[in-house]
Amino acid sequence: MKINFVARLNDSPLVIVPIFKNAATLALLDRLAVDFKQTPFLLRRDFKAEAKECLLLYPEQGSDRKVFLLGLGAEPSLGDVLAIFRYFAFTQRARLTQDVVLDWRVSTIGATSTTYLTAAVNGLCLGGYQVGVHKADSLFNIHPFKNASAMLTICAQHPYLQLVAQKGVETAEAQMRLMDLVNAPSNFKQPRVLGEWAEASGKQFGYKTTIFDKKKCIEKGLHALLSVNQGSPEEPRFIIMEYLPTGITNKKLTKIGLVGKGVTFDTGGISIKSSTNMHKMKSDMGGAAAVLGTIELAARLQLPVHLIGIIPSTENMVDGKATKPGDVVGSYLGKTIEVIDTDAEGRIILADGLSYMVKNYNPDTLIDLATLTGSVIGTLGYHCAGLFTNDDALAARLTLAGELTGEKVWRLPLWDAYAEDLKSDIADLSNFSGKPMAGAISAAKFLEVFTDRHPHWAHLDIAGMAFSATELSPQQSATAYGIRLLTAYIELIINDL
Ligand code: BES
Ligand code: MN
Ligand code: ZN
């Protein structure tokens, strides 16, 4: 979607007027009634500006000119605004056209923070997202906003707002590209495809990629990743990305290391999962998607930050060659792991991702994201990710970024007592406590070993957040969780907040 700017509404054929529910709402409705030739008391009666409320007006007799009043509710958060616009664009798709004007004049929307506009545009674009790309009619049935020539015109006092809106488009485009990848079935996104995706994105948006194939993984000693890959006919990939903005040389940039779990399908391996929900395990690369999306978006926006991304990627399959429960495997760090449960594969591949990052890049801050445990869903449900860190300042920033974006996180403990159960008689540690409790925490304690005591490390268990039910799909589908969270986090650092 392209962005345009006008200072006056004129006679635009399709206008969206967002309206807060506050003390000024009634007066605003009376004015809009005059502008759009409505009866004031009817407008007051039929539109309350509740969140997601939508009233369609036809101001000209015999004309198709449409004006949508869109309720924002009282004091919505940025996440609410995004959700409201996304819901609007999705549910009104049959009435929308590819040329739309968003009325963002101070007289209608008030003197609100510019970040609201980014969120609104972000939501409008996301509402055009199409889950059913494998349907035969998917090429004919596209949302008007997804047309190549679709144009969103921002009607506002200051042309600067065009840039603010553009950020919403860039964010949505990165998010939707990653939603496509997470929604893709595993027969369309082997680890090799993830690597190719990163390479193409790096070329297009300007960041460096280095991709290890199986031979290179063996050469580098990525034994933990290789052990999970053993049962799969598809080669693993170890994907490394590095982003630096162009043209900034005089300033020391914060270096942030991001590691994402890239399991393109998780059968559980020999400790096989039950079949009921196994198909959803195509989304077990949601952490990888968050990392890919954040780096692509940082490059699109040319954020002043130094990012390193690492994605260990493999399938976790059942096979005669697969790692068996009780096997002992090595790791890049040199520690040995007794594999009690082959379904606890995420932590095994992240072990290599984390220690490779620390040893070769030594970032100032290290954050990993993974659809790591069912346990975190049992603990926190589908409303936030589990956050694990010993760094209070990092916890505070990530929590604030979560509140700002609506991609929330909640901190859980990392006390050493939880590591007791990971002791192994025969290896340096085991990958599973064998107990049905505190599973998300012991998984985090496992990862901690491979960060080599990095003082500024945080782990986000996003198992409940990467793939969930929204209005876009009654079944679960990709959410792009983490991209806005991490981008907001990076912006807090950039602005010294
Ligand atoms: N990928 C799963 C975790 C998961 C579960 C993600 C549900 C999204 C939704 C992970 O690899 C896994 O299987 N974890 C096991 C660990 C256990 C065997 C220690 C789990 O949580 O059951
Ligand atoms: Mn698993
Ligand atoms: Zn998994």
Side-chain angles (χ1 to χ4, degrees):
M1 187 173 237
K2 295 194 178 59
I3 297 283
N4 196 356
F5 170 85
V6 288
R8 268 173 228 283
L9 258 194
N10 304 326
D11 292 333
S12 323
L14 199 152
V15 185
I16 305 165
V17 189
I19 301 174
F20 288 105
K21 186 179 174 69
N22 58 26
T25 309
L26 291 180
L28 172 61
L29 285 176
D30 288 349
R31 225 203 58 227
L32 292 173
V34 177
D35 286 359
F36 300 125
K37 301 170 192 142
Q38 307 290 311
T39 313
F41 91 89
L42 292 179
L43 215 50
R44 282 179 173 229
R45 190 193 65 188
D46 292 344
F47 187 78
K48 302 294 179 207
E50 300 296 349
K52 291 189 181 175
E53 185 181 353
C54 177
L55 185 68
L56 170 54
L57 313 175
Y58 293 96
E60 324 292 346
Q61 271 278 322
S63 148
D64 190 30
R65 183 173 191 227
K66 294 186 183 75
V67 175
F68 289 94
L69 305 188
L70 178 59
L72 297 180
E75 294 175 29
S77 67
L78 284 175
D80 294 336
V81 169
L82 185 152
I84 289 166
F85 278 88
R86 186 182 67 179
Y87 178 85
F88 168 78
F90 181 75
T91 52
Q92 297 297 326
R93 57 188 298 154
R95 300 191 181 99
L96 294 171
T97 52
Q98 62 165 48
D99 290 302
V100 178
V101 177
L102 178 59
D103 184 1
W104 206 267
R105 293 168 302 167
V106 172
S107 56
T108 44
I109 197 78
T112 56
S113 115
T114 54
T115 47
Y116 269 118
L117 178 59
T118 308
V121 173
N122 193 167
L124 280 179
C125 296
L126 286 178
Y129 183 73
Q130 207 175 1
V131 183
V133 291
H134 296 282
K135 291 179 193 282
D137 70 350
S138 64
L139 283 179
F140 309 105
N141 200 10
I142 67 168
H143 193 287
F145 291 178
K146 291 282 267 184
N147 272 324
S149 52
M151 180 72 80
L152 174 64
T153 302
I154 310 297
C155 177
Q157 257 72 14
H158 201 290
Y160 161 73
L161 290 176
Q162 184 171 348
L163 283 179
V164 174
Q166 186 60 36
K167 185 178 167 196
V169 175
E170 298 290 342
T171 306
E173 280 177 2
Q175 286 175 303
M176 291 192 283
R177 273 161 52 73
L178 272 308
M179 284 155 75
D180 280 345
L181 205 54
V182 175
N183 286 330
S186 76
N187 56 332
F188 284 75
K189 58 160 176 219
Q190 297 80 358
R192 171 182 50 79
V193 174
L194 247 53
E196 289 163 0
W197 194 102
E199 241 169 0
S201 164
K203 276 212 183 82
Q204 188 177 350
F205 299 104
Y207 61 88
K208 198 176 132 198
T209 51
T210 310
I211 294 160
F212 299 164
D213 59 9
K214 184 168 176 178
K215 196 165 146 254
K216 198 83 186 169
C217 289
I218 296 172
E219 216 177 288
K220 293 281 182 185
L222 298 167
H223 304 294
L225 170 62
L226 287 160
S227 80
V228 173
N229 180 251
Q230 249 169 248
S232 171
E234 298 292 341
E235 275 202 12
R237 287 290 185 272
F238 194 78
I239 304 167
I240 306 173
M241 293 155 284
E242 179 164 17
Y243 160 74
L244 272 169
T246 46
I248 298 185
T249 45
N250 55 342
K251 212 174 136 193
K252 177 165 177 347
L253 297 169
T254 310
K255 194 200 290 183
I256 302 177
L258 302 174
V259 180
K261 172 178 174 182
V263 173
T264 59
F265 196 81
D266 181 11
T267 64
I270 300 296
S271 316
I272 194 165
K273 290 180 181 295
S274 74
S275 57
T276 319
N277 281 318
M278 201 200 273
H279 60 284
K280 292 178 187 161
M281 284 301 124
K282 68 177 186 180
S283 67
D284 212 13
M285 34 63 75
V291 172
L292 287 168
T294 303
I295 292 182
E296 180 177 300
L297 184 54
R300 281 173 182 259
L301 302 175
Q302 283 294 302
L303 298 180
V305 65
H306 185 182
L307 297 180
I308 315 287
I310 288 187
I311 294 167
S313 181
T314 176
E315 295 182 332
N316 184 24
M317 299 295 286
V318 194
D319 184 78
K321 292 202 176 94
T323 296
K324 298 177 284 296
D327 286 1
V328 173
V329 303
S331 66
Y332 183 76
L333 186 65
K335 288 198 189 286
T336 53
I337 304 164
E338 185 182 6
V339 181
I340 301 296
D341 193 315
T342 65
D343 197 11
E345 86 296 343
R347 63 197 75 179
I348 301 180
I349 68 167
L350 286 172
D352 279 354
L354 288 166
S355 42
Y356 193 93
M357 176 72 87
V358 173
K359 185 164 173 217
N360 295 281
Y361 294 97
N362 190 29
D364 300 316
T365 305
L366 173 62
I367 303 174
D368 77 80
L369 299 98
T371 48
L372 203 61
T373 66
S375 162
V376 82
I377 306 177
T379 307
L380 298 169
Y382 295 99
H383 299 292
C384 61
L387 162 64
F388 301 85
T389 180
N390 287 316
D391 177 349
D392 292 344
L394 180 52
R397 278 206 180 105
L398 283 169
T399 304
L400 176 57
E403 275 160 16
L404 289 173
T405 56
E407 296 188 345
K408 294 199 279 291
V409 302
W410 193 257
R411 196 174 179 184
L412 293 168
L414 260 181
W415 298 311
D416 284 336
Y418 288 100
E420 285 298 311
D421 293 336
L422 294 178
K423 289 195 171 128
S424 162
D425 288 344
I426 62 167
D428 291 323
L429 76 167
S430 76
N431 79 329
F432 177 43
S433 66
K435 294 181 187 160
M437 53 197 211
I441 307 176
S442 55
K445 289 305 284 182
F446 180 95
L447 296 180
E448 187 183 35
V449 172
F450 295 90
T451 65
D452 214 11
R453 296 174 194 280
H454 193 292
H456 307 294
W457 162 67
H459 157 58
L460 293 168
D461 192 336
I462 64 169
M465 303 306 289
F467 200 68
S468 61
T470 64
E471 69 271 9
L472 305 179
S473 68
Q475 307 289 321
Q476 282 165 281
S477 72
T479 60
Y481 180 92
I483 300 177
R484 291 171 59 251
L485 171 72
L486 291 176
T487 305
Y489 166 77
I490 292 165
E491 287 172 330
L492 288 175
I493 303 249
I494 290 171
N495 297 313
D496 267 325
L497 294 170

